[in-house]
Amino acid sequence: MTHRLRIMTYNAHSCVGTDGKLSQARIAEVIAVYDPDIVAIQELDMSRVRSASLDQAALIAEQLKMRFHFHPALRVKDEMYGDAILSKLPLQLRHAGELPTVKARLAFEPRGALWVTAKCGDQEVQIINTHLGLSSRERAVQMEALLGHDWLGHPECRTPVIFCGDLNTPSWSSVHRRCSAVLRDAALHLKTKRRATFPSRFPFLRLDYLFVSADIRVLGVRVPRTPLTRLASDHLPVIADLELG
């Protein structure tokens, strides 16, 4: 039996829009417009002074009536910052952890990943959400770790698999090539070149990706450029309609 699934990946920029205003409600509104079954979000705050000490993942999930798991890649005392996966479907947390780093000028904050299993009808789909570093050497090390036995190479990370997030790298990079050797870049389904996701007001860089295993059929992909998506965050979301089975 086949099942359809809509997934979104979205760097929320700590819910600070391009107008400088803090609003998790706007991020939730963007998500609600496209009504994904699952959304992988990067750059969310929890208990941080800069974002009014809010639990952004919990508030967005509550507004959307979705389940969620949050992983803080960065902890400073009680303040946390990291990534989340929200879902309408039943979720099971499989693994959450930090990614390796290197000594480099741009490698100044820890990065992490989050792996969940979502129940879609009679199938289980593995979803990994990540946010890679700013240094090219750091990203290379982090991608190798994600392809390794703790993540995509884990024996229980069986297909169907979706790997997504802000990879901070262009599509001609070695990081993209390494990932493409294992999984398919869903956005290549797009007939146009409108794949850029950053900066949201005038996007010219493609930093946000959805990769899928070979047994997943890509029905459609979009990177919406609307007044709301250009305002809510400095990244545009990527949305894919998929068919499992």
mmCIF file of all heavy atoms in Angstrom, residues 223-243:
data_model
loop_
_atom_site.group_PDB
_atom_site.id
_atom_site.type_symbol
_atom_site.label_atom_id
_atom_site.label_comp_id
_atom_site.label_asym_id
_atom_site.label_seq_id
_atom_site.Cartn_x
_atom_site.Cartn_y
_atom_site.Cartn_z
ATOM 1 N N VAL A 223 9.656 25.848 -3.261
ATOM 2 C CA VAL A 223 10.329 26.783 -2.361
ATOM 3 C C VAL A 223 9.524 28.078 -2.448
ATOM 4 O O VAL A 223 9.770 28.913 -3.327
ATOM 5 C CB VAL A 223 11.796 27.008 -2.780
ATOM 6 C CG1 VAL A 223 12.477 27.979 -1.819
ATOM 7 C CG2 VAL A 223 12.558 25.681 -2.825
ATOM 8 N N PRO A 224 8.527 28.248 -1.591
ATOM 9 C CA PRO A 224 7.593 29.364 -1.758
ATOM 10 C C PRO A 224 8.215 30.727 -1.447
ATOM 11 O O PRO A 224 8.801 30.925 -0.390
ATOM 12 C CB PRO A 224 6.472 29.034 -0.764
ATOM 13 C CG PRO A 224 7.098 28.140 0.252
ATOM 14 C CD PRO A 224 8.144 27.367 -0.473
ATOM 15 N N ARG A 225 8.050 31.624 -2.408
ATOM 16 C CA ARG A 225 8.492 33.012 -2.227
ATOM 17 C C ARG A 225 7.247 33.876 -2.157
ATOM 18 O O ARG A 225 6.705 34.313 -3.181
ATOM 19 C CB ARG A 225 9.383 33.451 -3.392
ATOM 20 C CG ARG A 225 10.647 32.627 -3.561
ATOM 21 C CD ARG A 225 11.506 33.165 -4.699
ATOM 22 N NE ARG A 225 12.673 32.333 -4.955
ATOM 23 C CZ ARG A 225 13.599 32.608 -5.859
ATOM 24 N NH1 ARG A 225 13.482 33.691 -6.610
ATOM 25 N NH2 ARG A 225 14.625 31.805 -6.034
ATOM 26 N N THR A 226 6.774 34.110 -0.963
ATOM 27 C CA THR A 226 5.579 34.914 -0.740
ATOM 28 C C THR A 226 5.921 36.046 0.227
ATOM 29 O O THR A 226 6.969 36.005 0.882
ATOM 30 C CB THR A 226 4.457 34.058 -0.121
ATOM 31 O OG1 THR A 226 4.826 33.698 1.228
ATOM 32 C CG2 THR A 226 4.211 32.786 -0.931
ATOM 33 N N PRO A 227 5.062 37.058 0.353
ATOM 34 C CA PRO A 227 5.337 38.102 1.342
ATOM 35 C C PRO A 227 5.565 37.543 2.745
ATOM 36 O O PRO A 227 6.444 38.023 3.476
ATOM 37 C CB PRO A 227 4.081 38.982 1.274
ATOM 38 C CG PRO A 227 3.608 38.820 -0.135
ATOM 39 C CD PRO A 227 3.884 37.392 -0.488
ATOM 40 N N LEU A 228 4.818 36.507 3.120
ATOM 41 C CA LEU A 228 4.969 35.934 4.459
ATOM 42 C C LEU A 228 6.279 35.169 4.603
ATOM 43 O O LEU A 228 6.989 35.326 5.602
ATOM 44 C CB LEU A 228 3.786 35.018 4.775
ATOM 45 C CG LEU A 228 3.815 34.342 6.151
ATOM 46 C CD1 LEU A 228 3.849 35.370 7.280
ATOM 47 C CD2 LEU A 228 2.624 33.402 6.307
ATOM 48 N N THR A 229 6.638 34.320 3.625
ATOM 49 C CA THR A 229 7.876 33.552 3.759
ATOM 50 C C THR A 229 9.107 34.452 3.689
ATOM 51 O O THR A 229 10.139 34.155 4.297
ATOM 52 C CB THR A 229 7.994 32.445 2.692
ATOM 53 O OG1 THR A 229 7.995 33.036 1.388
ATOM 54 C CG2 THR A 229 6.851 31.450 2.818
ATOM 55 N N ARG A 230 9.010 35.554 2.954
ATOM 56 C CA ARG A 230 10.138 36.497 2.887
ATOM 57 C C ARG A 230 10.300 37.267 4.187
ATOM 58 O O ARG A 230 11.392 37.786 4.470
ATOM 59 C CB ARG A 230 9.935 37.480 1.728
ATOM 60 C CG ARG A 230 10.071 36.876 0.344
ATOM 61 C CD ARG A 230 9.735 37.909 -0.710
ATOM 62 N NE ARG A 230 9.711 37.379 -2.059
ATOM 63 C CZ ARG A 230 10.738 37.371 -2.896
ATOM 64 N NH1 ARG A 230 11.895 37.846 -2.502
ATOM 65 N NH2 ARG A 230 10.614 36.881 -4.111
ATOM 66 N N LEU A 231 9.236 37.343 4.987
ATOM 67 C CA LEU A 231 9.241 38.135 6.218
ATOM 68 C C LEU A 231 9.551 37.313 7.463
ATOM 69 O O LEU A 231 10.273 37.771 8.356
ATOM 70 C CB LEU A 231 7.875 38.807 6.384
ATOM 71 C CG LEU A 231 7.684 39.718 7.601
ATOM 72 C CD1 LEU A 231 8.598 40.941 7.507
ATOM 73 C CD2 LEU A 231 6.218 40.150 7.706
ATOM 74 N N ALA A 232 9.025 36.109 7.556
ATOM 75 C CA ALA A 232 9.031 35.356 8.814
ATOM 76 C C ALA A 232 10.417 34.911 9.254
ATOM 77 O O ALA A 232 10.694 34.788 10.448
ATOM 78 C CB ALA A 232 8.108 34.148 8.698
ATOM 79 N N SER A 233 11.319 34.629 8.290
ATOM 80 C CA SER A 233 12.670 34.148 8.594
ATOM 81 C C SER A 233 13.612 34.621 7.500
ATOM 82 O O SER A 233 13.167 35.077 6.444
ATOM 83 C CB SER A 233 12.685 32.618 8.673
ATOM 84 O OG SER A 233 14.011 32.108 8.760
ATOM 85 N N ASP A 234 14.911 34.476 7.731
ATOM 86 C CA ASP A 234 15.868 34.833 6.686
ATOM 87 C C ASP A 234 16.103 33.680 5.698
ATOM 88 O O ASP A 234 16.845 33.839 4.732
ATOM 89 C CB ASP A 234 17.189 35.321 7.284
ATOM 90 C CG ASP A 234 17.918 34.263 8.088
ATOM 91 O OD1 ASP A 234 17.300 33.233 8.444
ATOM 92 O OD2 ASP A 234 19.120 34.461 8.389
ATOM 93 N N HIS A 235 15.482 32.521 5.952
ATOM 94 C CA HIS A 235 15.505 31.396 5.015
ATOM 95 C C HIS A 235 14.085 31.153 4.499
ATOM 96 O O HIS A 235 13.106 31.388 5.215
ATOM 97 C CB HIS A 235 15.963 30.106 5.703
ATOM 98 C CG HIS A 235 17.421 30.038 5.975
ATOM 99 N ND1 HIS A 235 18.255 29.110 5.385
ATOM 100 C CD2 HIS A 235 18.211 30.773 6.813
ATOM 101 C CE1 HIS A 235 19.485 29.267 5.835
ATOM 102 N NE2 HIS A 235 19.496 30.266 6.705
ATOM 103 N N LEU A 236 13.991 30.627 3.272
ATOM 104 C CA LEU A 236 12.721 30.144 2.751
ATOM 105 C C LEU A 236 12.568 28.654 3.083
ATOM 106 O O LEU A 236 13.564 27.922 3.135
ATOM 107 C CB LEU A 236 12.663 30.334 1.244
ATOM 108 C CG LEU A 236 12.726 31.771 0.718
ATOM 109 C CD1 LEU A 236 12.832 31.752 -0.806
ATOM 110 C CD2 LEU A 236 11.521 32.580 1.168
ATOM 111 N N PRO A 237 11.349 28.202 3.295
ATOM 112 C CA PRO A 237 11.155 26.773 3.518
ATOM 113 C C PRO A 237 11.225 25.982 2.213
ATOM 114 O O PRO A 237 11.023 26.529 1.132
ATOM 115 C CB PRO A 237 9.732 26.715 4.111
ATOM 116 C CG PRO A 237 9.036 27.890 3.514
ATOM 117 C CD PRO A 237 10.080 28.966 3.354
ATOM 118 N N VAL A 238 11.506 24.698 2.346
ATOM 119 C CA VAL A 238 11.440 23.755 1.223
ATOM 120 C C VAL A 238 10.394 22.707 1.572
ATOM 121 O O VAL A 238 10.420 22.147 2.671
ATOM 122 C CB VAL A 238 12.801 23.070 0.968
ATOM 123 C CG1 VAL A 238 12.707 22.141 -0.242
ATOM 124 C CG2 VAL A 238 13.908 24.090 0.782
ATOM 125 N N ILE A 239 9.468 22.458 0.642
ATOM 126 C CA ILE A 239 8.358 21.531 0.889
ATOM 127 C C ILE A 239 8.352 20.472 -0.208
ATOM 128 O O ILE A 239 8.454 20.798 -1.397
ATOM 129 C CB ILE A 239 7.016 22.279 0.887
ATOM 130 C CG1 ILE A 239 7.026 23.421 1.905
ATOM 131 C CG2 ILE A 239 5.852 21.337 1.175
ATOM 132 C CD1 ILE A 239 6.405 24.679 1.425
ATOM 133 N N ALA A 240 8.227 19.215 0.208
ATOM 134 C CA ALA A 240 8.181 18.115 -0.771
ATOM 135 C C ALA A 240 6.978 17.247 -0.513
ATOM 136 O O ALA A 240 6.669 16.916 0.643
ATOM 137 C CB ALA A 240 9.457 17.280 -0.693
ATOM 138 N N ASP A 241 6.294 16.871 -1.585
ATOM 139 C CA ASP A 241 5.232 15.872 -1.539
ATOM 140 C C ASP A 241 5.823 14.551 -2.007
ATOM 141 O O ASP A 241 6.362 14.458 -3.115
ATOM 142 C CB ASP A 241 4.062 16.303 -2.428
ATOM 143 C CG ASP A 241 3.304 17.460 -1.832
ATOM 144 O OD1 ASP A 241 2.824 17.338 -0.696
ATOM 145 O OD2 ASP A 241 3.205 18.503 -2.505
ATOM 146 N N LEU A 242 5.689 13.537 -1.143
ATOM 147 C CA LEU A 242 6.352 12.254 -1.371
ATOM 148 C C LEU A 242 5.328 11.119 -1.360
ATOM 149 O O LEU A 242 4.264 11.248 -0.765
ATOM 150 C CB LEU A 242 7.394 12.005 -0.286
ATOM 151 C CG LEU A 242 8.404 13.129 -0.033
ATOM 152 C CD1 LEU A 242 9.259 12.820 1.183
ATOM 153 C CD2 LEU A 242 9.272 13.375 -1.258
ATOM 154 N N GLU A 243 5.707 10.032 -2.005
ATOM 155 C CA GLU A 243 4.890 8.814 -1.968
ATOM 156 C C GLU A 243 5.769 7.663 -1.471
ATOM 157 O O GLU A 243 6.852 7.420 -2.015
ATOM 158 C CB GLU A 243 4.337 8.498 -3.357
ATOM 159 C CG GLU A 243 3.346 7.353 -3.376
ATOM 160 C CD GLU A 243 2.706 7.185 -4.733
ATOM 161 O OE1 GLU A 243 3.370 6.584 -5.616
ATOM 162 O OE2 GLU A 243 1.581 7.668 -4.936
#
